[in-house]
Amino acid sequence: NSIEALRYRQVDGKVWLYDRIRLNTAVAREDHSFASVIIPYNDTLEEFVAEARGIIAAAMRGEGDAYGADSEKDTFVISVNPWYRLQFQFPQNAGENIPLSVFGKIMVDMQGRRTMPVAVSFHHGFVDGYQVGRYWEAFQHNLDTLSM
């Protein structure tokens, strides 16, 4: 939410700047079905993670609608693909200008270093390389400081 360019959306031909963007992601259930959930913005990463855990737990219990969140525009869509390593995947969000990120399988190399492929798609009319660079810096900072 700190990068203004990532909060722009085009809705019905008009450009909107949202105050806050929420996370839209799928939660896999044990029966191999899923639910789409919306996780609200929080001022700190710790608050965000705490609230996300409750929402995810509810979705895993069967609460929530698999497609109900897909019409929301004030979101950043995250797709998680932990089943195989992405070699290259350019995420597509057909007909939308909502940022989309795909996370692949976490791999551990011979030195014990973990890596995770991540692909991202933004509307280039709103976001350029500078903002993408700021996004990656913030993303890496959050990974480095997150305590599970």
Side-chain angles (χ1 to χ4, degrees):
N1 277 289
S2 64
I3 303 170
E4 181 178 302
L6 300 181
R7 294 185 280 121
Y8 282 102
R9 301 292 182 272
Q10 186 175 3
V11 180
D12 297 328
K14 295 181 182 174
V15 176
W16 292 79
L17 174 60
Y18 287 92
D19 293 330
R20 293 183 171 185
I21 297 298
R22 302 171 300 157
L23 180 73
N24 177 346
T25 191
V27 174
R29 296 177 176 150
E30 285 188 32
D31 66 357
H32 303 290
S33 66
F34 71 94
S36 290
V37 299
I38 297 285
I39 303 172
Y41 172 82
N42 282 279
D43 290 327
T44 69
L45 183 59
E46 291 76 17
E47 291 173 291
F48 175 81
V49 169
E51 186 164 5
R53 285 183 174 152
I55 292 169
I56 291 168
M60 291 180 78
R61 288 191 305 269
E63 300 169 23
D65 177 3
Y67 299 102
D70 289 344
S71 65
E72 305 288 334
K73 302 297 182 199
D74 61 331
T75 61
F76 189 114
V77 177
I78 301 291
S79 180
V80 180
N81 182 9
W83 303 282
Y84 59 88
R85 180 169 171 73
L86 302 175
Q87 295 299 320
F88 176 80
Q89 181 174 354
F90 188 78
Q92 299 288 324
N93 205 359
E96 296 290 342
N97 54 64
I98 297 171
L100 170 64
S101 190
V102 178
F103 296 83
K105 183 177 184 176
I106 296 173
M107 305 296 286
V108 180
D109 67 16
M110 299 294 277
Q111 293 77 34
R113 186 181 68 151
R114 294 177 183 213
T115 59
M116 177 180 60
V118 180
V120 68
S121 175
F122 298 106
H123 186 294
H124 193 47
F126 300 138
V127 181
D128 64 20
Y130 173 73
Q131 285 94 8
V132 173
R134 290 182 58 211
Y135 167 78
W136 286 123
E137 286 175 2
F139 181 82
Q140 185 63 55
H141 173 77
N142 286 335
L143 286 177
D144 292 344
T145 59
L146 182 64
S147 60
M148 300 304 276

